[in-house]
Structures are given as C-alpha cells and as structure tokens.
Amino acid sequence: MSGEAENHAKTAIVPVQNASLAEQVATAAVLEDMQKASLQPLQAAPAPAAAPFSWDLDPREMLKLSSEVMTLPMVFWSTGLSLAYSLWLSSLPSAGGTTDPIGQRAA
C-alpha cells in the first residue's frame, strides 16, 4: 500500500480557520445532506412474494407425478440389465472362427 493511501486513512477532519463564504455554504449543504441521509431509513427493494403453499392438488399434476414415480424404477431396472448384459457379453471368450470389429482374425 502506498504511503499516500495510508496517510489518507489516518487523516482527521480539521476545521479551516479562514474559509470563504462559498466554502462554508457548500460544507453546510453537504453536512445537511449527510444528516438527512442518515435519518432516512434504508429503502430496500421489496422481496419477491413467495407463492403460498396450497393443499389444493391438481389431479392432472398428481397423475403426471405418480406416473413419473412409477416409471423411474423401470428405467433403472432396464439400464441395470443392459449394463449387466453388456458386461457379461464382454467377459465371454471369443469363438475361434469369428473376427473382431476391426476385421482382424481373432486369436
């Protein structure tokens, strides 16, 4: 950090002995504005209103939700079976008269 910045952080406000009338008026206006700003409550933007929870259930939405919940285990089951079948096929020894996908003779 530069010495100048450190100096500004420690500088106190000292009244001026021979301030002109314009400087006094400007200082008074700034101080008045600062005092008004400190007295006014902070106006924060209103928080978005959350939709209240309702026990009224839409039959179509409930049917859609229940069908999705019922199909999820089937999706996991079929994915698991496909993976198990693929791993089982890859673990089988190759037959003597077949060729691999590249076209070379299997050993």
Side-chain angles (χ1 to χ4, degrees):
M1 186 184 269
S2 70
E4 183 180 341
E6 290 174 10
N7 188 21
H8 287 300
K10 298 175 185 175
T11 303
I13 298 175
V14 179
V16 178
Q17 297 295 331
N18 297 325
S20 68
L21 181 63
E23 290 175 335
Q24 291 176 357
V25 170
T27 304
V30 168
L31 290 175
E32 184 180 342
D33 289 344
M34 288 173 58
Q35 185 177 19
K36 285 181 184 177
S38 67
L39 294 177
Q40 292 178 350
L42 296 176
Q43 296 177 353
F53 179 76
S54 172
W55 284 103
D56 297 330
L57 302 174
D58 184 20
R60 290 181 188 165
E61 289 294 320
M62 287 304 298
L63 181 64
K64 181 181 174 187
L65 179 64
S66 62
S67 91
E68 289 173 354
V69 167
M70 292 162 74
T71 58
L72 191 60
M74 290 185 273
V75 169
F76 287 143
W77 177 258
S78 65
T79 304
L81 282 180
S82 297
L83 182 62
Y85 182 69
S86 173
L87 291 174
W88 176 71
L89 282 179
S90 67
S91 69
L92 292 177
S94 58
T98 60
T99 59
D100 65 359
I102 298 176
Q104 298 173 347
R105 188 101 179 140

